[in-house]
Amino acid sequence: MDNKDAYIEHLENTIVSLNETIDGLQNQISNLTEIIMLLRKEKFGASSEKTSYQVEGQISLFNEVEIEADSAATEPIAKDVRGYKRINTKTKREELIKDLPVREVLCETPEDELYCPTCLSDLKPIGREVVREELEYIPAKVQIVRYVRMAYECPNCKHTDHPYIEKALTPASLMNHSLASSSSVANVMYQKYVNAVPLYRQEKDWENLGIALSRATMANWVIRCTQDHLLPVVAHMQMELLSRDIIHCDETPIQVLKEEGKKPQTKSYMWVYLTGNDGKPPVILYDYQPSRNGDCAADFLKDFQGYIHSDGYSGYNKLTNITRCGCWAHLRRKFVEAIPSKKDANAPLTSAEIGRDYCDQLFHIEKELKDLSPKERKLKRLELEKPVLDAFWCWVQSLNTLKGSALGKAVTYAINQKPYMENYLLDGRCSLSNNAAENAIRPFTVGRKNWLFADSPKGADASAAVYSIIETAKENNLNVYTYLQYLLLYMPDTNWRNHPEQLYDLMPWSEAVQAECSN
């Protein structure tokens, strides 16, 4: 009997063990299926994270009007004229071309044909009419600018033992013994870092203009001019950045082929830092580093004290004397990724959808508060958003998720980031998300898709500096090409080493730059 009981107990234990194994395998299958669906969604699905009204990826024909309708769309101007509506003929096209120069092509009849076929009298002009307008493209052209210096002598001292000769001052050279000019280097930078045109393609463009300008020469122009003339400007911008109270930061991989001590396939990183919504001129800075170690951010921000907006990367925990603010957009993304790709139309909301909707509610409130002052925004956040946050954390704690699932990862992320997720409530200038940093780093990622990698750390540092100049110029409403040329024109003659205050007049927000380079 004892043997029988032992055998039964053994069978029961085996059944329990097999059931646990089956449950584990089923969980593993569910997680792997979820991963496959997420990968398919990333590869073939829409990249936008906006909640859309779609059925299996196709816009419904029945609600297309509601989706596409935009109350802010431009309408022709209508006026009441004696009981009926007259549409203003000044169209958006005319607004677009109003500031462009005009070259008129006058179409005339030859003089020997200017006669009346009936009485053979000469025809006289009675008026002109505009038949059509066309947008003409004028290709770029290149020319050599030759600086000729005048020399002067004193005629009275000419025959003495001390003749006096004076030579006129000339602008400093951008690069000694080089054909590089402020306009040509600015164009190379603009094409590469704004239009994402790689140097090998620019080489062909210069060739079409009749100049055999190699990509190696252009790369040398960018690196030398950045080191000599742009880095002091970027350093001054960094001082301005660190003097603020709020900074957003993010990082993205970059491949550098000739990094000492590293294989070409190893990832390096481009970090981005930008000012927050503090009402002052915006600053966006890029910093190339060979790793993603949090010490990189700690070193760049060592003199900063204030609020730091970032994603959940643990490397930012190395920052000291700061208040770290989490990103609700990242948290929302985790819940969006956990939403099943297919579900019945009448099925109740899944936990992932509920989590997403909590985040959406916060973003909706933020949208309503965007025009308030920081002080008013802080008070309204405590009144309207704090109850939503309290309800969200209670809901998160009540969940029992599958370990390793997308929903489980979202909940774990939320719990781990909870110490930082409500810090934005401390200051009305802080943001609910770190989207500003993600938007700032996007131009770099777009360019990276075209030129793929940097050849050397010097090239990567130069890229970081030029991107810093360009993106800060954009945010300050400057014409990027004009500002690049402005800096390269005036920096060679600027004695910034002995008079660093002169750099202030070259900042994107200075009155002189705004007057010369504004869009």
Side-chain angles (χ1 to χ4, degrees), residues 209-223:
L209 293 172
I211 302 295
L213 189 61
S214 70
R215 67 193 77 172
T217 299
M218 286 186 282
N220 186 47
W221 285 3
V222 172
I223 293 174

Side-chain angles (χ1 to χ4, degrees), residues 141-147 178-181 183-184 206 211:
K141 66 176 183 178
V142 294
Q143 63 184 16
I144 294 296
V145 178
R146 180 177 293 128
Y147 290 89
S178 171
L179 288 174
S181 68
S183 60
S184 58
W206 284 101
I211 302 295

Side-chain angles (χ1 to χ4, degrees), residues 79-92:
K79 297 181 179 179
D80 284 317
V81 182
R82 294 184 181 179
Y84 67 92
K85 294 283 186 180
R86 174 182 291 175
I87 303 299
N88 194 336
T89 58
K90 193 169 187 180
T91 63
K92 190 174 182 180

